[in-house]
Each structure stands twice: as structure tokens, then as C-alpha cells.
Amino acid sequence: PQPAPTSLGLQFPDGFIWGAATSAYQIEGATAIDGRGPSVWDTFSRKPGKVRNGETGDVAADHYHRWADDLDLIRDLGLRSYRFSISWPRVIPGGRGPVNKKGLDFYRRLVDGLRERGVTPMVTLYHWDTPHELQVDGGWENRDTAYRFADYAAVLAEALGDAVPNWLTLNEPKTIVQNGYLYGSHAPGHRNPAAAYVVAHHQLLGHGLAVQAMRPHLSASTRIGPALNLHPCYPADETNEARARTILHDGYENRLYLDPILKGAYPQDVLDDVATFSPMQEHIKDGDLDVIGSPVELLAVQYYCPLYVTADGQTVQKHRTSEAFWQQIYPEGMYDILTRIKKDYGDIALTITENGLPTPDTLGDDGTVRDDGRIAFLRDHFSAAHRAITDGVNLESYHVWSLMDNFEWEQGFDQRWGLVYVDYADQRRVPKASAHWYSQVIRDNGL
Ligand code: GBH
């Protein structure tokens, strides 16, 4: 039978996979249960003034206890892929040393539970929750953390490798560099440009070491890749100065991570600029770039917004922003970043692992949540992705951020990014209008 006609007339390719994403600290709660050790986000969120309203992930969406119901919800919405992250300190509480079997068992239940429901798991090894004990020794400033990350990656590949076809190493190493070490707004809360780019290198090294450590435990068809938040950068005006600053800005936002992983070399313009304020290069040892450039089969792209760069290297706003002050809404940026990856990095398989919008959602008296803004946002970004596919981009799946409302880092619980509303008073889940709309998109494989 013909698929039902859809309003925009956009049909996605057969086999295109629709899903949603979450991360461990943002949804799990249960931070002191079953042997989990503390992470940097436990210690950071407890410090006064770091998170809005002093909130923490101690309970979050209580997913650790409600996982089975949440997996039923994922199935009932028709999602075919679920991207979640594993809490490093749940599996290796001290960051190095003994494995916590209860922690591993939780993720085994999750992975098996997804497969029983016909949903493919996509696992992120690390979504910012560094074990506190490693941070005491310098965290990603310390080269040793990269090796400990590889040990952890091998443990997971061995334990879950048979059941997980796609693995993502680091989530957004750039965000740790920028928010964790430049602005201080994320854990570990430093403002130290010199350290920030040492942290960039050690994270990238950790990525490469993890890829190498996992391989022996995985089948030949299992794929590994990084999850990078990419920002298309445009000059704010037509001056030569703005154009030049935009190229460098693109280097810091995109090429600093893409080039070493996919081309085995750092971009020279960024290295030269970093050298004016950071000892990063002293930390790049012989052979590191071969490790970082270890072959990967998948690039996970997270797209939220573009950046407009002025002649003096500042960024300015050109479009309406969302509830998140940093997010200008520009769906064409999705097309631009996807086509640019193909042009500059070739035909590596791409997945969108995050794209979404926060909206001021409330539970209505009739028990529904009307989030029309999210529907419009997703419709426009799905359309841009469709156009990229039509133009030959190898995009195979799309994960909306997020499956459900959760702990939005320094913004706490006020910003709601979910397809599913979470009532934090009783942990009730209510699929929003966007969730119902998305289910229809999935059924139609189009919109
Ligand atoms: C993603 O990051 C995260 O992976 C996810 O955990 C998060 O919930 C989701 O976005 C929604 O925010 O201080 O000006 O840099 C997206 C990248 C990096 C964008 C941090 C906002 C903070 C603003 N984010 N950045 S700024």
C-alpha cells in the first residue's frame, strides 16, 4: 500500500531510522545507589550558585528505577533507535580499578530491554560525568584520564558489544573545553584557557585510545564514532576581517575536533592561535595523532544553531532565539553542516544524535501538553535534513533531543527539552503534542 500522503510531501529513504536521545546524569537519578561513585556533576551541582535553583541530578527523571516503563514508552511512540549514555562512575566507581557489577547489570537490562521491544540501542560512553576521583587527579588535564577512559571503554565493549551495533565515544568534547574550562559554567567549573586546550587534546586522545581498546571485543560490523556538536559559522557582515575571523572561529568550533579524528591532523591555523595562550602542543606526543585518527565508521552530529562572527571575533545574533539564550533558530544550518561534512570529510555514515528545542511546556487541565513550537522546529529541521539527503548526504538516522524532560545542566529542570513531559512532583510521563506528531512522522517515514 502507498504511504498516507503527508503535508509537506517529503518521504525519507526506506530504512531511515528515527529515534530520540538522553544522557545518564540528566535522567537517571539514583546517584548513590548500587555502588555508583560520585561524578564531577555531583560535586559541581552541589556547589552554591552553579545550577539554577540549586538543583542536582540526584533524582532527575528517576530513570534508574523507571527504566522498564520508559522503554515501554519508547516502543509505544514507535521510536526505532534510542541513544543513551552510560555513567562511567556507575560502572567504574573510582574511575580506575574495580568494575561495579551492579552498574554494568543496569545497562545490560537496558540494552536487552530495548532489543526485546524492537528498539536499537545506540550507546554513548561518556556524556560529561567524569568520575570524581579522576578529577581529583586533574581530570582531562591529566593524560592518564585518556588511558583510564580506554580501560572503561574496553569493559563496556566486552560486556555489551554483542548487543550494541553503534557506539559513540565522547559526547561533545568541545563543550567540556568551552563550558567546563573556559567559561566555568559546566563541571569542573574552571576558567583557564591554557588548560582548556590541553583538555581538548587529552579528550581526543581518549577517543582514539577507546576506539582501539574496543575493537578486539566487537564484531566487524559494529561501528564506532565520536558525537560532535557542530556549528556552521558565517561572517556577520561582508568585510574581509569578518570572513577571516569566521574561518578561525570555524576552526575552534568544528575543525579542531573533526580534523584530528577524520584526517589525523590538527588544523594548523587553530594550533598556531592556541599556541599564543596554551601549552597544548607540548602535550601532543609522537604517535598521538595516529591514535586519534584511528578509523571510525560513523560520525554523530549534534546540531542546534549557527554562529555569526564579527570582524573582531565576537559572535552576534541574527535570528530569533529559543528559551536557551545561545540557540538561534536557523534550520538551514542543518543542511549547511551536513553538506559541508560530505564536501570536506567524504562519505562517512552520519547520524544526527541531537537536535531539539526547549519550550515553556505546562500540563493542561485536559492532561495534554501543547508544544507547537517544538513541532514547527522539528518539521523545519527534518526538512533541511531531507534536503541534504536528496543532495547525496549519507545521513542514516535522526535522534531528537530529548526523549523526555530532564536535568538541563546549569539550567536545572526549568528548561524542558523533551518530547515527553515529566511531572517532577510524581515522575509521571506525558507525551507532548510533539511526541504524537513525531510518532506519525515515523509511521509515515516522512512529513
Ligand atoms: C547538548 O549540548 C548536550 O549534549 C545535551 O546534554 C543538552 O541537554 C542539550 O545540548 C541541550 O542544551 O555558555 O554560551 O556556551 C548542546 C551544546 C553547549 C549548547 C553548552 C549550550 C552553553 C551556552 N551546548 N552551551 S554557552
Side-chain angles (χ1 to χ4, degrees):
Q2 282 292 105
T6 49
S7 50
L8 296 180
L10 299 180
Q11 197 65 38
F12 278 71
D14 286 347
F16 192 81
I17 296 166
W18 300 96
T22 62
S23 89
Y25 190 71
Q26 293 181 273
I27 64 166
E28 285 180 358
T31 52
I33 286 177
D34 289 345
R36 179 187 179 281
S39 80
V40 292
W41 268 96
D42 295 280
T43 48
F44 182 78
S45 62
R46 280 195 176 76
K47 288 187 188 152
K50 297 299 184 191
V51 177
R52 223 201 267 189
N53 305 324
E55 288 162 340
T56 73
D58 284 355
V59 179
D62 196 31
H63 173 72
Y64 190 77
H65 296 114
R66 295 167 195 270
W67 64 272
D69 289 344
D70 287 339
L71 299 198
D72 287 347
L73 189 55
I74 289 168
R75 177 199 56 209
D76 294 346
L77 290 174
L79 305 180
R80 304 308 309 271
S81 178
Y82 175 53
R83 178 216 177 209
F84 63 95
S85 83
I86 293 183
S87 161
W88 187 352
R90 223 182 258 298
V91 173
I92 304 183
R96 54 170 73 84
V99 170
N100 175 31
K101 183 165 181 311
K102 284 187 173 170
L104 262 190
D105 288 348
F106 172 69
Y107 295 107
R108 185 79 229 183
R109 289 196 293 276
L110 207 57
V111 162
D112 289 346
L114 285 164
R115 282 154 44 98
E116 284 160 17
R117 291 166 178 80
V119 181
T120 306
M122 180 179 280
V123 170
T124 310
L125 294 177
Y126 173 73
H127 199 123
W128 308 346
D129 43 0
T130 313
H132 169 74
E133 295 300 322
L134 293 184
Q135 194 65 44
V136 169
D137 293 334
W140 290 110
E141 275 185 77
N142 182 345
R143 186 177 172 96
D144 182 63
T145 296
Y147 294 91
R148 302 293 72 79
F149 180 64
D151 294 345
Y152 159 68
V155 167
L156 291 176
E158 190 178 1
L160 305 176
D162 59 311
V164 176
N166 296 305
W167 294 83
L168 308 175
T169 53
L170 307 174
N171 180 73
E172 301 189 351
K174 180 173 72 184
T175 301
I176 295 190
V177 171
Q178 296 185 348
N179 297 82
Y181 283 86
L182 288 179
Y183 316 142
S185 56
H186 282 194
H190 297 316
R191 292 179 187 213
N192 183 345
Y197 291 88
V198 176
V199 164
H201 178 65
H202 289 156
Q203 285 190 87
L204 287 160
L205 181 65
H207 156 84
L209 291 168
V211 171
Q212 296 189 349
M214 293 172 81
R215 290 292 179 207
H217 304 288
L218 302 177
S219 72
S221 64
T222 303
R223 303 183 305 174
I224 312 176
L228 303 180
N229 56 325
L230 301 177
H231 291 81
C233 297
Y234 309 96
D237 58 59
E238 295 306 315
T239 61
N240 289 336
E241 293 78 8
R243 287 176 196 282
R245 293 307 289 251
T246 300
I247 292 170
L248 181 61
H249 209 90
D250 172 72
Y252 274 102
E253 295 289 334
N254 304 314
R255 287 182 285 116
L256 178 58
Y257 307 91
L258 288 165
D259 281 18
I261 292 175
L262 298 177
K263 295 180 169 172
Y266 278 117
Q268 194 60 46
D269 57 340
V270 180
L271 278 191
D272 291 346
D273 198 73
V274 167
T276 64
F277 62 85
S278 166
M280 176 192 183
Q281 286 196 51
E282 291 164 29
H283 295 266
I284 306 174
K285 307 294 180 203
D286 285 351
D288 281 4
L289 280 155
D290 294 333
V291 173
I292 297 170
S294 298
V296 291
E297 300 78 21
L298 186 65
L299 174 63
V301 177
Q302 320 205 142
Y303 171 72
Y304 286 93
C305 57
L307 293 169
Y308 293 89
V309 183
T310 64
D312 54 1
Q314 304 298 305
T315 55
V316 292
Q317 186 188 324
K318 291 260 180 182
H319 307 282
R320 179 170 66 90
T321 60
S322 77
E323 271 199 0
F325 71 90
W326 49 268
Q327 187 182 29
Q328 309 183 48
I329 299 172
Y330 185 63
E332 283 71 21
M334 171 73 87
Y335 175 87
D336 287 351
I337 200 70
L338 291 173
T339 51
R340 181 267 181 98
I341 291 166
K342 180 181 163 78
K343 177 168 80 63
D344 290 351
Y345 300 93
D347 259 331
I348 185 167
L350 302 179
T351 172
I352 301 287
T353 39
E354 291 185 25
N355 170 245
L357 181 81
T359 51
D361 304 321
T362 52
L363 186 54
D365 293 336
D366 61 354
T368 67
V369 181
R370 294 290 304 271
D371 58 341
D372 297 346
R374 178 169 292 104
I375 294 174
F377 177 95
L378 292 176
R379 182 198 58 211
D380 293 346
H381 286 76
F382 292 175
S383 302
H386 183 274
R387 198 152 59 85
I389 294 169
T390 304
D391 288 351
V393 168
N394 186 12
L395 178 68
E396 55 182 52
S397 58
Y398 201 122
H399 302 79
V400 172
W401 184 270
S402 175
L403 172 66
M404 57 182 152
D405 295 336
N406 59 52
F407 177 77
E408 176 54 23
W409 308 113
E410 80 278 23
Q411 302 296 331
F413 294 99
D414 280 2
Q415 249 181 41
R416 292 180 175 272
W417 289 79
L419 294 162
V420 174
Y421 183 88
V422 175
D423 185 340
Y424 294 108
D426 59 8
Q427 293 292 351
R428 192 155 48 110
R429 274 68 162 141
V430 181
K432 302 176 190 177
S434 61
H436 298 298
W437 172 84
Y438 190 35
S439 291
Q440 188 63 44
V441 170
I442 297 171
R443 279 193 293 273
D444 294 341
N445 195 30
L447 65 160

